[in-house]
């Protein structure tokens, strides 16, 4: 594994994380007729991926999981989706937390781009050595 | 051959390059739960490579875990500001070493041209 593949994998992992936060934000405030049908926030799970040959550790995306947060019950009898008790179930999305998640993912993506461009520049300088 | 021409700088450049990969790995794993940040003790690695060990094994021998100032709750020991600092310090070291090698190459070229 080279530093380029390392950064590429870490960057795609961060992108999945950012997409998950965007999905959660997009579904914030959406309601469903039952607790099971309500949208549950999704979260990317990262794990270390150690490459013994090069001694470098990249990021492995273990998948995207749904959080086990309880849907929020809202009493709105006029809502077309309201059940027999006049309740609807809203997605339990913490918009502030999702914004922070998104900000952090984009910052880390930027860090990787920065590291990559420095590495590339140094390698080019080495190549041009004549 | 390269050992005679470039002396310590050839090995130093390779170690710098190894270290760059390690620090990039730390930056990449800033959000991975349980990841332990690693770095090489450059002085130790260089001393090891001086005794004839190849740079890859020298780097492995000088590998250390970072001691975090404030460990995260998920067991991750990456502290981004320190990693960024280490990365730029290492990049500077790489450039400097490269400059020494460039100087050596220039000298050789002048000697060959005879001016």
């Amino acid at each position: 594994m080279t530093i380029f593949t390392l950064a590429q994998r870490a960057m795609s992992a961060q992108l999945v994380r950012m997409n998950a936060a965007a999905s959660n934000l997009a579904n914030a405030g959406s309601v469903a007729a039952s607790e099971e049908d309500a949208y549950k926030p999704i979260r990317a799970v990262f794990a270390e991926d150690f490459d013994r040959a090069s001694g470098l550790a990249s990021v492995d995306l273990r998948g995207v999981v749904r959080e086990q947060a309880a849907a929020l019950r809202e009493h709105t009898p006029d809502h077309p989706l309201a059940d027999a008790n006049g309740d609807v179930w809203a997605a339990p999305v913490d918009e502030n937390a999702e914004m922070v998640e998104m900000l952090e993912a984009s910052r880390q993506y930027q860090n990787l781009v920065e590291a990559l461009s420095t590495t590339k520049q140094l390698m080019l300088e080495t190549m041009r050595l004549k | 051959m390269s050992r005679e021409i470039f002396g310590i700088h050839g090995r130093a450049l390779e170690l710098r390059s190894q270290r760059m990969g390690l620090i990039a790995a730390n930056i990449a794993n800033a959000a991975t739960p349980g990841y332990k940040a690693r770095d090489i003790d450059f002085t130790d690695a260089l001393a090891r490579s001086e005794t004839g060990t190849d740079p890859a094994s020298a780097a492995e021998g000088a590998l250390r875990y970072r001691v975090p100032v404030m460990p995260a709750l998920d067991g991750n020991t990456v502290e981004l500001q320190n990693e960024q600092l280490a990365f730029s310090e290492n990049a500077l070291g790489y450039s400097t070493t490269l400059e020494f090698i460039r100087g050596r190459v220039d000298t050789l070229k002048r000697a060959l041209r005879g001016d």
Side-chain angles (χ1 to χ4, degrees):
Chain A
M1 185 160 61
T2 68
I3 189 164
F4 290 96
T5 45
L6 184 159
Q8 182 251 318
R9 291 176 64 177
M11 278 157 82
S12 28
Q14 293 296 340
L15 214 60
V16 172
R17 188 179 171 201
M18 214 186 291
N19 283 338
S23 304
N24 295 342
L25 276 172
N27 283 288
S30 69
V31 293
S34 69
E35 188 169 10
E36 297 82 58
D37 290 343
Y39 178 84
K40 300 279 170 18
I42 53 175
R43 198 72 61 208
V45 181
F46 292 169
E48 181 189 351
D49 175 24
F50 185 68
D51 177 43
R52 196 168 288 281
S54 60
L56 298 176
S58 187
V59 183
D60 186 22
L61 188 75
R62 280 288 155 81
V64 179
V65 295
R66 277 198 187 278
E67 272 187 1
Q68 294 298 312
L72 309 167
R73 183 158 65 174
E74 286 172 8
H75 187 64
T76 44
D78 296 338
H79 200 286
L81 287 175
D83 59 15
N85 298 323
D87 295 332
V88 289
W89 303 86
V93 176
D94 181 348
E95 276 154 312
N96 293 320
E98 298 302 336
M99 289 301 286
V100 170
E101 179 85 1
M102 207 153 187
L103 208 70
E104 205 182 306
S106 76
R107 275 291 304 276
Q108 267 166 30
Y109 193 94
Q110 277 177 22
N111 282 332
L112 286 161
V113 172
E114 196 64 44
L116 208 54
S117 78
T118 309
T119 309
K120 192 195 77 182
Q121 197 201 328
L122 288 174
M123 281 185 170
L124 282 175
E125 274 176 41
T126 316
M127 290 293 292
R128 284 198 208 99
L129 199 72
K130 50 179 189 287
Chain B
M1 179 67 174
S2 72
R3 215 179 175 88
E4 290 154 29
I5 298 172
F6 300 116
I8 200 171
H9 303 304
R11 277 158 281 148
L13 197 71
E14 208 161 320
L15 286 173
R16 286 284 181 204
S17 160
Q18 291 252 354
R19 187 165 177 230
M20 187 153 62
L22 271 176
I23 301 171
N26 291 345
I27 294 176
N29 281 289
T32 311
Y35 177 81
K36 304 282 178 251
R38 298 171 311 153
D39 196 359
I40 53 173
D41 181 342
F42 189 75
T43 320
D44 185 17
L46 200 59
R48 279 170 193 266
S49 77
E50 283 293 89
T51 60
T53 324
D54 66 297
S57 336
E60 207 170 313
L63 214 55
R64 306 272 188 277
Y65 282 106
R66 269 229 209 299
V67 181
V69 181
M70 243 182 80
L73 280 177
D74 62 1
N76 187 303
T77 64
V78 178
E79 288 173 320
L80 262 180
Q81 70 281 14
N82 297 348
E83 300 301 336
Q84 277 167 322
L85 206 74
F87 192 86
S88 65
E89 185 257 334
N90 189 59
L92 192 67
Y94 188 100
S95 287
T96 314
T97 303
L98 203 58
E99 212 51 53
F100 280 122
I101 293 176
R102 201 192 304 276
R104 195 63 63 94
V105 172
D106 281 349
T107 312
L108 280 174
K109 275 201 316 208
R110 267 203 301 279
L112 285 170
R113 274 201 307 268
D115 51 31

